[in-house]
Amino acid sequence: MIDLSGTWSLKDEHSEYACDYAIPGDVHSALLAAGLIPDPYVGRNELAVRRLADRDWVASRTFQWDGDTGPKGNWYLDVDILDTAAEIRLNGDMLLSAASCFRRYRRYLHQELKLGENKIEILFKSNTRAATALAKHQPYKIPYVIQNCPIPDGNMLRKPQCHFGWDWNLAIAPFGLYGRIEFRKSVRQELTDLKILVTVGEDAATVAVFTTFFVSPLLAGPKPVTVKFDGQEKELTAVRPGIGNQQDSHLGMQIFSITDPKLWWPAGQGGQHLYELTIEFDGQIERRKIGLRKIELLTDKDPIGPGARFAFRVNGREIFAKGANWIPADALPSRATPELTEKLLKAAVDANMNMIRVWGGGFYEQDWFYDLCDRLGLLVWQDFMFSCSLYPADDAFLNEVKKEVDHQVRRLGHHACIALWCGDNELIGALTWFEESRKNRDRYLVDYDRLNRTIEEAAKAADHTINWWPSSPSSGLKNFGDAWHDDRSGDMHFWSVWHENKSFDHYRDVKPRFCSEFGFQSYPSLNVIKRFATPADMNIASPVMDHHQRNAGGNERIAGTMFRYFRFPMTFADFVYLSQVQQGLAMRTAIEYWRSLKPHCMGTLYWQLNDTWPVASWSGLDHGGGWKLLHHMARDFYAPAAAFAIPAKDGGSFAIFGVNDTPTRTEAEVTVFAQSVGGRRHDLGTHPIRLPSDWAIEFARVMAGQIPDDALLHVETRLGDGTSITRHLAPKPYKTFAFENPAITVTKTSTAHELSVTLEASKPAYFVALECDVPGHFSDAAFDLLPGQPRTVRFRPERPAELDRAADSLIVRDLYSATCR
Ligand code: BMA
């Protein structure tokens, strides 16, 4: 094998730029590292950088070869995640003309490798020009999502759709080669894919291992294959030639019986044991980590009400899915490293999530991403990469799609984490967003169905065991209705609160079966804003702050919502803080209510887990992985077992609900009280309760009249293990309360790695949060601090040397300090 990753030379078509280029990586990152362009994340630099995608670029390198060149045709180029319109030449000879970022290409050499020096070149053709040229050649207009994409026609390319801009992404159309580039000598036999089917019984599991091998025509037949699993060693049986488009392949299978299996469970449900599977043949050995689990998608008709269920059952247990939507870890692929990705995914699990949705406008992520999810117990809802636009449905496009789907499904099939393959993001809704498709719905719906069928057929042909869902959102198979407002079946995207400016209470007007998208924006944290804005830009309506907001009207919505619920914040920093408080409140309102509907509702994935660059957005994690207040609150509202209050529609009472997502019934003691802002506490009852794990229960009710005018309602849950969670609910908008100065006292102590801060309040303080000037992580934020109940928060700086600076720059915020002082 000749690995060609490493340093290449880069130049553009006008010879304006020339520099080194690290492959795998993106071209913008190379130009940035060479100091040739400004950082597009800072200020409004993005605009100066956008035009770089409108020209061709060439990357080249030489390599020495002094080995066996072998017979012609024996070597091939192996390349993947090549973004997107590109050509690869070896010693001037064209090897590959590529058109998809989502495929792995294999091209046999027409000529032998030269002894001595060889030259390889990648021509990155301008993707923006390629897209526009393709759009011009369509027989009729195929609209793209113009409100998200300042760069046109991205729907023409099999490239991450958010690269041409999105309502949270910058628009610079990054490009480059992010995967492998190698010459390989063909082997006589090669494992091309692997599927694992697990059947889980009482105390035994059966593991069927299905393999597909490419077997060279030079070989009379496949060599014997040994499969080892859990200490058992067997020879592959039932090896037979493939059919159809797999004529070069040989399929084989073997079945293992595992007594006393260690099952793989989503986080919070049990362990994530991974068995090692090895497959040996013809002098080669392949290893995979396999989790034993069976995941079913339940969409049966509701036995009691109208509509149909939407729930995941893992190893026979129905699991309430708790999580968020995943977008690429960074807008520049070179920066989306395994370390950063691990930080983000680990944060998801730390916030009690068990599922992420890899949203259809980014990438099919790299193998190590799914290894991480296997290890962490994060179920993956995997979209195919189509989002929010209409798409061509001609033969050439559909053939390209077939190859992409086949590759991705085979590549990821063995991962325990993969729970679902979903056809696309919001393509059914998109049929109503464009004048063309409103006027001629038949034409565009037929095109949509052709594309969706192609994806479904190719996915099922690659792996007949997958859980398939046609689109997100979708009310069900062959249902092309409005899954944004119809909550009877399927998965729902509920955007009425953000995009239609409805109040937070409106989350309680729907009863989704599974809400796979809903979100509310906030500003990024102050330390992140400082990375792109100067002090002069730190005004909520400055051009730079506007530039770092990609949803038209987004900043107005944030400010307008504050008017609805809060007194207006005192300073820019308070505004940033309060924007994160209200974002967390919005998500908490939705998620508490929808969890209270369990098992009618069996999942909530909010929009969105992470950010690709520093921007105002719906994310709970800042760009780089710091926790916004929402992420801290998520750990609380996604807690495995807790009680909370849900107001009745007429405002006359509050139902106290308990939920428990752990595998077993849980005992708890719940205390309900009203807390006056001046400090008086009014007890409203203590309830010893047993929380079943299959459904949420209402176990008490508080009448509105029991809560004094100047008080908030609190529900404190103490679990058997001694942990306790307190949630408050404001019966009226926060701005109507005359909060009093909590005069929070702060006591700091530090160890070698950590700062420990004990806070105590003399009056009730809400949404207490600490900030400091140093990157790092606070153990807790956005909590309530009641008089006589001090709380200790730990801070771990990224660099231990900055501990003192952290202590010196510490600031405490709460609702009073931000809005009443
Ligand atoms: C959704 C997503 C994205 C978008 C988000 C916020 O519906 O699928 O397209 O970023 O809304 O508008």
Side-chain angles (χ1 to χ4, degrees):
M1 193 259 273
I2 308 170
D3 180 0
L4 296 167
S5 63
T7 306
W8 292 51
S9 308
L10 178 72
K11 63 178 185 351
D12 69 310
E13 87 180 60
H14 308 306
S15 301
E16 198 180 329
Y17 299 94
C19 64
D20 284 351
Y21 169 32
I23 288 184
D26 67 86
V27 164
H28 288 80
S29 292
L31 296 167
L32 195 58
L36 299 178
I37 58 167
D39 188 334
Y41 294 1
V42 173
R44 293 192 289 165
N45 291 342
E46 171 199 359
L47 300 174
V49 166
R50 190 173 287 168
R51 63 193 174 88
L52 296 174
D54 298 338
R55 57 181 81 181
D56 293 350
W57 294 74
V58 177
S60 62
R61 66 165 282 174
T62 57
F63 62 94
Q64 294 293 319
W65 180 244
D66 50 15
D68 155 37
T69 55
K72 196 162 134 183
N74 209 10
W75 280 82
Y76 65 91
L77 170 74
D78 188 0
V79 59
D80 67 357
I81 332 184
L82 175 57
D83 184 9
T84 286
E87 291 172 3
I88 299 187
R89 289 182 173 73
L90 174 66
N91 300 323
D93 183 27
M94 168 95 114
L95 268 187
L96 170 69
S97 174
S100 173
C101 187
F102 304 136
R103 278 175 59 189
R104 180 171 171 183
Y105 290 98
R106 169 191 289 221
R107 287 291 181 273
Y108 284 90
L109 308 196
H110 318 129
Q111 50 171 248
E112 294 170 7
L113 286 172
K114 285 199 300 195
L115 275 178
E117 189 170 272
N118 289 264
K119 183 173 187 191
I120 182 159
E121 283 170 302
I122 308 174
L123 167 66
F124 291 105
K125 296 194 275 188
S126 162
N127 284 323
T128 53
R129 291 196 304 221
T132 302
L134 282 165
K136 281 206 183 106
H137 280 98
Q138 297 304 319
Y140 46 86
K141 188 163 174 205
I142 314 229
Y144 65 93
V145 59
I146 198 162
Q147 60 274 36
N148 285 353
C149 302
I151 306 177
D153 303 320
N155 56 341
M156 295 291 119
L157 297 181
R158 295 312 299 138
K159 168 178 178 60
Q161 298 293 283
C162 66
H163 278 181
F164 282 22
W166 213 260
D167 57 4
W168 38 261
N169 201 18
L170 78 178
I172 56 173
F175 59 97
L177 171 54
Y178 321 136
R180 85 193 84 208
I181 176 157
E182 294 160 358
F183 285 115
R184 291 174 162 271
K185 194 172 176 190
S186 33
V187 284
R188 298 181 304 173
Q189 187 167 334
E190 190 183 329
L191 180 68
T192 50
D193 82 81
L194 174 67
K195 283 185 267 299
I196 311 287
L197 192 58
V198 178
T199 317
V200 182
E202 277 288 284
D203 40 24
T206 309
V207 182
V209 179
F210 298 92
T211 53
T212 308
F213 287 92
F214 165 79
V215 179
S216 155
L218 303 173
L219 207 66
K223 295 269 186 199
V225 180
T226 308
V227 189
K228 289 187 197 156
F229 193 81
D230 191 34
Q232 302 174 49
E233 178 173 327
K234 295 188 177 187
E235 200 148 294
L236 210 61
T237 55
V239 179
R240 58 181 174 80
I243 48 167
N245 61 3
Q246 288 191 35
Q247 278 167 10
D248 287 342
S249 303
H250 284 253
L251 315 175
M253 77 105 93
Q254 185 51 273
I255 294 182
F256 294 86
S257 262
I258 316 285
T259 42
D260 211 6
K262 293 198 191 76
L263 298 181
W264 182 95
W265 289 99
Q269 297 294 323
Q272 287 79 44
H273 187 78
L274 296 171
Y275 287 83
E276 176 140 319
L277 170 74
T278 58
I279 302 179
E280 292 176 41
F281 54 95
D282 200 25
Q284 298 174 59
I285 179 155
E286 296 274 355
R287 293 175 212 278
R288 301 282 189 285
K289 297 265 190 223
I290 304 297
L292 298 187
R293 96 294 185 257
K294 178 178 181 173
I295 306 181
E296 297 158 275
L297 173 66
L298 311 177
T299 55
D300 43 311
K301 229 185 103 11
D302 195 316
I304 36 182
R309 308 197 58 208
F310 192 99
F312 290 94
R313 184 157 62 197
V314 184
N315 303 331
R317 191 187 297 161
E318 289 186 27
I319 309 277
F320 193 101
K322 295 184 289 196
N325 283 266
W326 171 267
I327 58 174
D330 199 287
L332 288 176
S334 294
R335 296 182 181 181
T337 59
E339 295 71 37
L340 171 62
T341 304
E342 178 161 7
K343 185 176 177 187
L344 300 170
L345 294 175
K346 216 177 145 294
V349 174
D350 288 345
N352 291 314
M353 297 186 183
N354 59 17
M355 181 181 270
I356 50 163
R357 168 169 174 247
V358 177
W359 166 78
F363 283 99
Y364 304 93
E365 294 289 341
Q366 301 208 30
D367 293 342
W368 46 258
F369 177 95
Y370 302 93
D371 288 339
L372 277 168
C373 294
D374 284 346
R375 198 147 61 64
L376 292 166
L378 270 179
L379 293 165
V380 174
W381 168 314
Q382 178 69 49
D383 281 358
F384 287 97
M385 294 299 132
F386 301 87
S387 188
C388 294
S389 292
L390 306 183
Y391 288 86
D394 57 88
D395 289 349
F397 191 84
L398 296 182
N399 272 330
E400 192 60 61
V401 169
K402 256 186 229 165
K403 290 179 185 148
E404 161 187 334
V405 170
D406 184 74
H407 167 56
Q408 298 297 348
V409 174
R410 285 178 198 280
R411 178 172 74 93
L412 301 178
H414 68 278
H415 283 281
C417 62
I418 299 277
L420 180 76
W421 285 93
C422 170
D424 62 69
N425 175 70
E426 301 191 343
L427 262 53
I428 297 173
L431 290 164
T432 63
W433 299 344
F434 307 101
E435 204 194 326
E436 293 80 1
S437 50
R438 279 194 297 270
K439 277 196 182 143
N440 193 348
R441 184 169 166 99
D442 291 356
R443 166 194 274 171
Y444 291 95
L445 181 60
V446 168
D447 276 1
Y448 168 72
D449 189 51
R450 283 183 186 173
L451 171 66
N452 195 248
R453 290 275 208 124
T454 301
I455 299 168
E456 177 178 359
E457 282 169 14
K460 289 182 177 168
D463 185 347
H464 63 281
T465 71
I466 59 167
N467 290 317
W468 161 259
W469 190 243
S471 180
S472 185
S474 162
S475 300
L477 304 180
K478 301 273 167 56
N479 185 327
F480 303 105
D482 176 3
W484 277 259
H485 300 93
D486 179 353
D487 59 1
R488 285 167 302 179
S489 60
D491 72 319
M492 186 171 199
H493 289 189
F494 189 68
W495 277 103
S496 305
V497 172
W498 176 263
H499 284 302
E500 296 165 26
N501 198 16
K502 299 267 168 60
S503 75
F504 291 177
D505 294 336
H506 188 50
Y507 283 123
R508 301 197 198 93
D509 292 338
V510 289
K511 294 183 162 63
R513 300 304 184 143
F514 190 110
C515 204
S516 44
E517 271 190 27
F518 56 103
F520 201 90
Q521 278 203 358
S522 68
Y523 276 43
S525 300
L526 203 57
N527 60 345
V528 174
I529 293 175
K530 284 180 182 162
R531 292 192 339 233
F532 67 80
T534 65
D537 300 321
M538 296 210 192
N539 177 294
I540 61 167
S542 72
V544 165
M545 293 312 295
D546 269 352
H547 188 79
H548 288 250
Q549 163 61 269
R550 293 312 163 92
N551 186 218
N555 288 349
E556 284 162 68
R557 175 75 30 84
I558 293 172
T561 304
M562 272 181 206
F563 265 107
R564 214 182 257 174
Y565 297 110
F566 300 100
R567 300 185 187 200
F568 212 69
M570 316 295 285
T571 65
F572 176 74
D574 291 330
F575 180 91
V576 168
Y577 156 85
L578 197 59
S579 78
Q580 294 195 4
V581 167
Q582 75 177 5
Q583 174 190 32
L585 259 182
M587 293 300 90
R588 196 178 86 182
T589 306
I591 289 167
E592 282 183 343
Y593 179 61
W594 295 336
R595 284 187 76 184
S596 82
L597 302 176
K598 179 186 177 180
H600 174 95
C601 174
M602 281 303 283
T604 59
L605 308 177
Y606 65 73
W607 184 268
Q608 71 214 53
L609 181 73
N610 54 314
D611 263 339
T612 53
W613 73 305
V615 66
S617 85
W618 303 267
S619 78
L621 293 173
D622 273 310
H623 175 244
W627 291 31
K628 287 181 174 177
L629 298 186
L630 165 59
H631 205 80
H632 283 282
M633 290 166 82
R635 191 180 50 187
D636 184 69
F637 59 63
Y638 275 150
F644 43 81
I646 304 283
K649 273 221 163 36
D650 63 4
S653 65
F654 299 85
I656 312 298
F657 269 94
V659 287
N660 167 24
D661 295 328
T662 69
T664 50
R665 200 171 66 172
T666 297
E667 315 270 327
E669 188 179 75
V670 178
T671 304
V672 185
F673 60 97
Q675 175 73 59
S676 290
V677 292
R680 248 191 89 198
R681 177 178 156 139
H682 317 263
D683 282 321
L684 297 171
T686 293
H687 310 265
I689 49 164
R690 287 207 179 119
L691 296 170
S693 57
D694 293 339
W695 62 89
I697 50 165
E698 178 187 331
F699 60 89
R701 194 163 271 263
V702 172
M703 301 314 290
Q706 293 175 271
I707 306 170
D709 242 17
D710 66 346
L712 283 75
L713 179 61
H714 287 245
V715 180
E716 184 185 353
T717 313
R718 271 184 309 280
L719 296 171
D721 64 3
T723 54
S724 110
I725 299 179
T726 308
R727 313 247 182 110
H728 78 259
L729 186 120
K732 298 171 295 180
Y734 291 90
K735 66 181 180 184
T736 62
F737 291 94
F739 291 108
E740 296 184 25
N741 187 350
I744 297 172
T745 58
V746 179
T747 318
K748 304 175 216 173
T749 54
S750 43
T751 63
H753 303 285
E754 246 181 28
L755 180 66
S756 187
V757 187
T758 301
L759 304 165
E760 195 160 358
S762 58
K763 301 281 176 193
Y766 291 98
F767 303 110
V768 178
L770 295 169
E771 280 168 26
C772 70
D773 260 1
V774 165
H777 181 69
F778 286 101
S779 61
D780 212 350
F783 49 86
D784 304 342
L785 200 57
L786 299 184
Q789 297 179 15
R791 183 129 167 178
T792 300
V793 176
R794 284 164 289 109
F795 177 72
R796 214 165 240 267
E798 271 168 26
R799 289 176 290 271
E802 294 185 323
L803 211 56
D804 287 348
R805 242 190 72 209
D808 293 345
S809 62
L810 203 72
I811 291 180
V812 184
R813 284 185 215 283
D814 75 308
L815 207 49
Y816 176 87
S817 73
T819 59
C820 304
R821 138 177 76 90

